[in-house]
Amino acid sequence: MDEKALVRTLLEEQHPDLSGLALREVEGGWDNRMWRLGEDLAVRMPRSPRAPELLRAEHRWLPDLAPRLPLPVPVPMRLGAPSARFPHLWSVTTWVSGHPADLAPVTRGTRALAAFLTELHRTAPEEVPLNPLRGGHPREAVEDLEEYARGIADPAHMDGILEVWQAVADAPAWHLPPVWLHADLHPANVVSREGDLAGVLDFGELCAGDPATDLAAAWVLLPDGSADAFFAEYPADEATVLRARGWALLRSLVLIQIGRAGDQGLPGGKPTWKPAGEKALSRVIAPFP
């Protein structure tokens, strides 16, 4: 049975009221393969070992968060149970219209992103998990930044990378209560419409921690020269801005690495991520204030 037929059969067995809707495969996805269901819904089918738990976390928390967020997000509507046909949990969510920003970059979104993160970054309940590798200090996420960067970045950029990283490494850690985090904001996880930031996708990494990890989006998602305007809309202290820049540096390098793997035809590679990462890196290492 091909995958489309499998999805249709699972819907017929577990959610028959949805089984008659049109089903179209959507390109992309990392942990999950996605299918558009009718005009307003999507089916997400795990394809990595960790994907079912990420879907479960979204189903637990996102319906409570979504009503106060000022941008559309994929709200979980149904869970599919593991079965003999498909041994993993799967999900039906609302559909968020737009084009992934690795294909159609955001050219206008400073205020929209600042408003979104202002609403998201409220103190998280104690039961929301912490994730130091995504919501801690960026210096905790990589053992040797210089060694990692030299394997990815253009050698001409290394001085700028190391200058930024030194300032980041010296920045104090977040000392206030952990806040809600998306924790995976990069161009493939947001959508644009005619250049406007139009929605935020994939909350599987949802956790609590330092807002700096999300504030990295000021460099990773927004066009050149937008960071100052963003932080005028989302006031943050100097240390938080530095940590955000550090997370933006790391995220840019990851995008380039995954994009390069795509250029080489390697599994998991995403060719469109390389130019997005290179543009983000150029913004991050622009002359440091």
Side-chain angles (χ1 to χ4, degrees):
M1 181 182 298
D2 66 31
E3 190 167 4
K4 183 175 182 179
L6 172 63
V7 174
R8 177 73 69 196
T9 299
L10 292 174
L11 287 168
E12 290 171 348
E13 292 177 348
Q14 299 189 30
H15 302 285
D17 58 315
L18 304 179
S19 64
L21 297 174
L23 190 63
R24 291 163 283 174
E25 185 175 4
V26 178
E27 291 187 10
W30 186 267
D31 290 296
N32 299 281
R33 187 178 299 279
M34 188 160 67
W35 301 78
R36 188 168 183 179
L37 183 61
E39 293 301 313
D40 301 320
L41 298 172
V43 178
R44 298 178 73 198
M45 302 290 291
R47 62 179 177 185
S48 75
R50 71 193 197 117
E53 285 307 309
L54 300 182
L55 291 179
R56 192 182 300 278
E58 286 187 346
H59 196 81
R60 167 67 180 85
W61 298 111
L62 200 49
D64 294 333
L65 286 174
R68 65 176 171 84
L69 298 177
L71 287 172
V73 301
V75 182
M77 305 299 288
R78 310 277 183 93
L79 274 180
S83 66
R85 292 189 186 277
F86 188 73
H88 307 294
L89 173 148
W90 48 283
S91 178
V92 178
T93 73
T94 55
W95 173 258
V96 179
S97 296
H99 302 285
D102 58 322
L103 302 177
V106 172
T107 58
R108 295 177 302 277
T110 299
R111 289 187 174 180
L113 180 63
F116 177 85
L117 292 178
T118 297
E119 285 299 320
L120 177 62
H121 290 166
R122 298 184 185 181
T123 301
E126 290 185 2
E127 59 267 33
V128 177
L130 300 172
N131 185 346
L133 293 180
R134 287 186 178 265
H137 198 294
R139 66 188 172 215
E140 299 171 3
V142 60
E143 184 173 339
D144 187 335
L145 183 281
E146 182 174 359
E147 181 180 356
Y148 176 58
R150 287 194 186 281
I152 298 169
D154 184 327
H157 295 155
M158 284 305 302
D159 286 348
I161 288 170
L162 295 178
E163 181 184 358
V164 170
W165 190 250
Q166 182 59 59
V168 168
D170 292 340
W174 179 251
H175 62 279
L176 297 175
V179 302
W180 283 106
L181 301 176
H182 179 282
D184 200 20
L185 287 175
H186 61 74
N189 280 347
V190 301
V191 294
S192 68
R193 283 200 297 272
E194 298 181 351
D196 292 321
L197 179 61
V200 178
L201 310 177
D202 198 346
F203 283 74
E205 302 290 354
L206 196 67
C207 62
D210 177 1
T213 190
D214 285 348
L215 301 178
W219 293 274
V220 175
L221 295 181
L222 299 179
D224 294 355
S226 298
D228 287 346
F230 172 84
F231 285 109
E233 298 284 340
Y234 185 118
D237 61 62
E238 181 180 357
T240 299
V241 174
L242 282 171
R243 295 191 307 275
R245 198 162 191 160
W247 278 113
L249 174 59
L250 294 178
R251 208 145 286 151
S252 300
L253 292 171
V254 170
L255 288 169
I256 294 169
Q257 184 179 34
I258 293 172
R260 187 174 297 162
D263 287 344
Q264 297 169 356
L266 298 176
K270 305 285 185 181
T272 57
W273 291 22
K274 182 182 175 183
E278 290 174 338
K279 290 177 183 178
L281 181 61
S282 70
R283 293 189 284 265
V284 171
I285 64 173
F288 205 76

